[in-house]
Amino acid sequence: MAMKVKQKRESSTLVIWVVFGIMMFALSFLVSRLWNLQVQRTSGFVADFYDQSVRRVRLPAVRGKIYDRNGVVLADSVPNYSIAIFTEEMRAPRSAIANTLELMHLIWVKVGEKPDITYRDVKKHFALTPKEPLVLYKGLSDEQLGRWQNEFGRWSEKRKIPGLGNHDPLSSNAIVIETSELLKRPTSTAANTLELVYEISERIGIPRRIRYQEIVDHIILQKPLPLLAWEHIDDETMAKWADTCSSLPGTDIYFQSARTYPFGETNAHVVGFTLEADAVRQEEETGEKIHFDMRGIKGRKGLESTYNDLLKGEPGYELVQIDASGYHHVTLYKQLPKPGGDLQLTIDENIQQFAIEALLSKQDGEDPDIPVKGACIVLDPNNGDVLAMVSAPSFDPNAYMASVGYRQALLKDTLSRTYHRAVFGQYPPGSTFKPIGVLGALREHPDYTNTVHNCHSPYYVGNRQMKCWIHSQWGEHGDVTARQALMYSCNVYMFEMARELGYEPIRDMAREFGIGQYVGLFPNLDDPQEQKDLKYGNLPEKSISAIDSCNMAIGQGAILASPLQMAMVVATIANGGRLYRPRLVEKWRTGPDNEYITNPTWAIRQIDVPVEALELVRGGMHDVVMDPEGTAKAARVDDILIAGKTGSAQYKKRVDGEVVNSVHTWMISYAPYHFPKYAVAMLVEDGVSGGRTIGPRLSKLYRSLFEYDGTLPKEDG
């Protein structure tokens, strides 16, 4: 049988090259894809990784300081030392104590009753009898059992909460935790953090301040940031922590900047206060997203608010890398914040203290239990500098920042302690307005200097009887001149003057003195000097009747002014007719290492009034204090010539549902008479009269001022 032998066939060279070409094409395709993924698109992957793992944390700057004219600190930034817990280090431990504390707090919140056991009891239980039940509450009332049943009855049946399933509080009047069920259970980061808080509290002997829910919220919302369990700790607490807790994992001392006001209530209305700043989510200039903001503080009232942009400084930031769980892994970069700028005021803290002491001093017949409501301003009449500015009653800005309860109480306070009466109070100026009226009359009619009007009772304008204050005492001033009208504070003279000359001369002069106009106490420091067309107070453009003219001639009716405006009025009379913008900020700087920039004084205008008229009014104001028949004899100080004008502005208020008459008492003044150094406006709400209520207070203030500047020797004691 013949065999068939298979012959070897030669491979085609073409086929080999085709296969080789296909292989090389495939290899080239793979190489190009690898190149595209690993080289060309590397930046994209890096960006994705950066977006997913890097977080920007905004860091607040140290706030600038506020000084008085002599360099005394009125608002300071101080270190706020806190005990911090770094929750990223609280994930590994497994603790039955932590599980028990977590369950205990869950029950505590739901039932609304503090447990009968302490952290020390829990530790002792696990040290001695860890597998025995732990009695959390005993002797529960029916109300407490009802709350338990509402919160846990059905829930425990359905979900079988570990540690709660084997006991029925309704039958035993007790809530018991089976701690044996918690020995091998995983522990949450929040539970471990809670245990650490209790341990620190136990070791250093201070109460726990942070709630369990706050720990949970922090871990959910601010994982990369330290948890501040105790803030504003003192040196003793810090020393105890260093001695007993520094070896504990996950805890350290953390530093922030805080605000303090060394003189408390004295400068509260002027300087203001700060509160926690609003969270920032995006950088204003760069548009960079802010993932976490350490917040810092922001000015909310007074100078702190007005000049917040200067004082707050420039925030810094740090870039932190987080792990897959969102916890802090490592800090990649940190840019330090730049401290804020400083303000130096024209306020003299000593004069500020004199002013508040004088304002709060009780006079004969005043109820010692009723707080004084009023204001006092002291100006330098020669340049408009504000030497003192106080409002009463006041409040403690340190307590305001520290206590929510204190802030809530002030919201309900009937005395309006946070109201800045010196600047924002609007009152009828009463007889302190009379010098303006006399000046207006004398400018239009210089011969009015010797005009005499008769003060008699009864006095009628049309069919309406109108009174001078002396009529209530069954008296009359008789024939009086303009100067005497100021000394006696005679209403009838002003009525006759307004009826004869009209309201317009009075209005025009009041406008020149700045009544009803922008004052400019808080200017933008970089802006040029200008007198803005803004309303402040009220100066009616015209009177609607003869009675209305008469009322406004004595500072009543629709005319309203602040104590600051009346201080400007008396300062202008004192210096010969130059109306200065009140200057509160003397100089400022943009950082602690920069040079100060002066905030210049500025005269708004020179009052157009004859010298003879001005001297007559000044003479009348001299007589108010220095003449035996003046209305402010109580304001005298030995060896000092003082000029002034009292005022009593009547108004109606509601007390216990009834409408009663009351009086805002005023006095404007300057001294010494020939060479003025101080111009003062003082107001006390619900007083008796300018002379009786303000006069003695003003005397006390002037004595303190002239002893302080060396004009008078200090009295013994």
Side-chain angles (χ1 to χ4, degrees):
M1 183 176 179
M3 295 179 63
K4 186 176 180 179
V5 179
K6 187 176 181 179
Q7 298 294 322
K8 183 179 179 181
R9 298 175 61 184
E10 294 292 335
S11 298
S12 170
T13 303
L14 178 61
V15 172
I16 294 174
W17 280 107
V18 169
V19 172
F20 178 76
I22 293 172
M23 293 174 61
M24 292 304 297
F25 176 78
L27 181 62
S28 299
F29 177 77
L30 290 174
V31 169
S32 66
R33 290 297 297 162
L34 288 173
W35 173 268
N36 178 262
L37 291 173
Q38 296 188 11
V39 178
Q40 291 185 330
R41 296 180 60 183
T42 297
S43 60
F45 291 131
V46 170
D48 290 343
F49 171 77
Y50 185 91
D51 290 341
Q52 294 174 19
S53 66
V54 177
R55 298 291 181 265
R56 180 181 293 267
V57 181
R58 188 172 183 267
L59 306 174
V62 176
R63 197 169 180 84
K65 298 182 180 182
I66 300 177
Y67 301 91
D68 86 335
R69 69 187 305 118
N70 300 314
V72 176
V73 178
L74 306 181
D76 200 0
S77 289
V78 295
N80 167 19
Y81 292 106
S82 305
I83 298 177
I85 296 176
F86 298 89
T87 55
E88 64 269 14
E89 299 183 35
M90 295 289 101
R91 291 178 289 172
R94 175 174 293 187
S95 168
I97 293 178
N99 286 332
T100 302
L101 292 172
E102 184 176 42
L103 182 55
M104 183 178 76
H105 273 264
L106 177 64
I107 298 171
W108 184 351
V109 170
K110 298 295 184 181
V111 175
E113 300 289 339
K114 185 177 181 181
D116 296 331
I117 62 174
T118 64
Y119 171 64
R120 186 174 296 180
D121 295 329
V122 175
K123 288 179 65 178
K124 183 178 179 180
H125 173 83
F126 278 97
L128 300 177
T129 56
K131 296 186 178 181
E132 297 294 323
L134 175 64
V135 179
L136 194 61
Y137 296 90
K138 53 188 176 182
L140 292 171
S141 66
D142 291 342
E143 181 182 355
Q144 292 167 338
L145 288 171
R147 287 199 294 267
W148 162 270
Q149 184 67 15
N150 289 335
E151 296 291 346
F152 287 98
R154 297 178 181 176
W155 191 25
S156 60
E157 290 177 5
K158 290 182 178 180
R159 301 195 179 187
K160 301 296 182 184
I161 299 174
L164 293 181
N166 297 330
H167 289 271
D168 181 13
L170 298 180
S171 61
S172 62
N173 288 349
I175 298 177
V176 179
I177 296 177
E178 287 288 347
T179 54
S180 59
E181 298 181 15
L182 305 178
L183 288 172
K184 296 182 179 181
R185 287 190 59 79
T187 308
S188 69
T189 302
N192 284 326
T193 303
L194 179 64
E195 182 183 2
L196 180 59
V197 169
Y198 269 105
E199 183 64 25
I200 295 172
S201 174
E202 179 81 8
R203 292 191 183 192
I204 64 180
I206 60 175
R208 177 177 56 88
R209 296 180 187 173
I210 192 166
R211 296 180 292 109
Y212 174 66
Q213 188 57 48
E214 291 177 304
I215 296 174
V216 174
D217 292 342
H218 177 87
I219 291 173
I220 293 174
L221 301 175
Q222 296 182 305
K223 283 181 181 178
L225 304 183
L227 171 66
L228 305 183
W230 286 272
E231 296 188 64
H232 301 284
I233 62 173
D234 55 27
D235 293 342
E236 181 181 356
T237 301
M238 196 184 311
K240 288 181 179 179
W241 179 92
D243 187 43
T244 62
C245 301
S246 56
S247 61
L248 291 173
T251 181
D252 204 346
I253 297 296
Y254 191 83
F255 163 82
Q256 287 181 303
S257 177
R259 204 63 163 165
T260 186
Y261 303 96
F263 296 95
E265 295 187 4
T266 305
N267 306 295
H269 295 97
V270 174
V271 174
F273 54 82
T274 59
L275 291 175
E276 186 178 47
D278 299 327
V280 175
R281 295 305 177 200
Q282 183 173 300
E283 288 284 357
E284 294 181 3
E285 296 182 359
T286 64
E288 291 281 356
K289 182 178 180 180
I290 302 296
H291 298 91
F292 301 101
D293 188 357
M294 294 300 287
R295 304 290 284 271
I297 53 179
K298 179 180 180 179
R300 298 292 185 178
K301 283 285 186 179
L303 295 172
E304 290 276 28
S305 175
T306 302
Y307 300 113
N308 182 70
D309 289 344
L310 171 70
L311 294 166
K312 71 178 181 180
E314 296 182 17
Y317 68 92
E318 62 181 7
L319 299 178
V320 299
Q321 187 174 356
I322 61 174
D323 59 20
S325 299
Y327 289 96
H328 182 277
H329 177 63
V330 66
T331 299
L332 302 175
Y333 176 77
K334 187 171 186 177
Q335 178 175 303
L336 295 176
K338 296 180 181 179
D342 301 324
L343 293 173
Q344 184 156 354
L345 308 183
T346 58
I347 294 283
D348 186 316
E349 181 56 30
N350 290 299
I351 298 179
Q352 188 85 346
Q353 295 284 350
F354 300 152
I356 194 65
E357 289 170 5
L359 182 62
L360 296 181
S361 61
K362 290 288 188 174
Q363 305 306 312
D364 291 342
E366 295 182 6
D367 190 333
D369 297 325
I370 298 178
V372 173
K373 294 187 293 183
C376 180
I377 297 174
V378 182
L379 299 180
D380 182 341
N382 301 299
N383 58 14
D385 280 0
V386 180
L387 304 179
M389 179 182 288
V390 298
S391 295
S394 190
F395 65 99
D396 184 354
N398 297 305
Y400 195 97
M401 295 185 299
S403 171
V404 174
Y406 185 79
R407 295 199 291 272
Q408 292 175 340
L410 287 178
L411 290 175
K412 302 176 183 178
D413 179 39
T414 57
L415 298 173
S416 303
R417 294 178 182 273
T418 59
Y419 185 48
H420 195 353
R421 290 171 166 85
V423 175
F424 301 113
Q426 298 292 309
Y427 306 91
S431 294
T432 59
F433 187 77
K434 290 175 180 175
I436 295 176
V438 172
L439 285 172
L442 293 177
R443 180 170 66 177
E444 296 294 326
H445 304 275
D447 57 344
Y448 218 81
T449 301
N450 300 316
T451 299
V452 175
H453 291 298
N454 182 263
C455 174
H456 58 277
S457 178
Y459 178 84
Y460 287 92
V461 177
N463 295 324
R464 179 172 175 178
Q465 183 178 357
M466 302 186 71
K467 293 183 178 181
C468 183
W469 65 269
I470 200 171
H471 296 172
S472 300
Q473 301 177 12
W474 309 104
E476 298 175 338
H477 287 129
D479 290 340
V480 291
T481 62
R483 177 165 177 165
Q484 290 173 324
L486 293 174
M487 179 182 71
Y488 293 135
S489 196
C490 180
N491 287 351
V492 171
Y493 190 95
M494 302 298 157
F495 296 156
E496 288 288 302
M497 183 181 72
R499 296 174 71 181
E500 185 175 333
L501 304 181
Y503 167 66
E504 288 72 17
I506 300 173
R507 176 203 62 202
D508 294 344
M509 183 57 66
R511 185 181 292 120
E512 289 207 39
F513 271 94
I515 301 299
Q517 299 170 30
Y518 171 74
V519 169
L521 182 66
F522 306 113
N524 293 326
L525 298 175
D526 292 326
D527 289 351
Q529 308 280 14
E530 63 174 335
Q531 182 64 13
K532 298 179 180 178
D533 184 18
L534 296 174
K535 184 178 179 181
Y536 180 47
N538 188 52
L539 178 65
E541 184 62 28
K542 59 183 180 179
S543 62
I544 59 177
S545 66
I547 294 174
D548 195 33
S549 294
C550 290
N551 277 327
M552 289 191 289
I554 61 171
Q556 300 269 181
I559 293 178
L560 296 174
S562 69
L564 175 60
Q565 284 177 302
M566 296 313 296
M568 294 169 63
V569 167
V570 72
T572 304
I573 294 172
N575 68 34
R578 179 162 293 185
L579 178 66
Y580 282 101
R581 180 197 70 180
R583 185 174 70 152
L584 185 56
V585 177
E586 180 179 3
K587 52 187 178 180
W588 52 282
R589 59 185 176 186
T590 56
D593 299 324
N594 298 334
E595 294 293 326
Y596 273 106
I597 302 170
T598 299
N599 180 35
T601 59
W602 182 56
I604 298 173
R605 67 180 67 92
Q606 180 70 35
I607 305 297
D608 180 20
V609 61
V611 174
E612 296 79 9
L614 192 60
E615 286 305 310
L616 182 144
V617 168
R618 286 163 56 95
M621 294 177 67
H622 166 275
D623 299 343
V624 167
V625 180
M626 305 310 298
D627 193 281
E629 297 185 61
T631 58
K633 298 184 291 294
R636 293 179 185 173
V637 175
D638 291 343
D639 301 323
I640 301 293
L641 292 180
I642 299 172
K645 184 69 194 78
T646 56
S648 301
Q650 297 181 354
Y651 75 105
K652 296 182 183 297
K653 67 176 183 177
R654 187 173 294 275
V655 178
D656 297 329
E658 295 185 6
V659 177
V660 298
N661 293 321
S662 192
V663 176
H664 291 322
T665 53
W666 284 89
M667 189 163 178
I668 59 174
S669 174
Y670 66 89
Y673 176 69
H674 292 294
F675 303 100
K677 296 170 65 175
Y678 308 107
V680 181
M682 188 180 291
L683 164 86
V684 172
E685 297 180 12
D686 303 325
V688 178
S689 68
R692 291 174 58 185
T693 304
I694 308 295
R697 288 178 163 90
L698 196 61
S699 176
K700 177 181 176 65
L701 173 59
Y702 272 136
R703 178 162 293 281
S704 298
L705 289 173
F706 288 117
E707 287 179 356
Y708 175 60
D709 67 18
T711 302
L712 295 177
K714 292 187 177 181
E715 292 183 340
D716 295 335

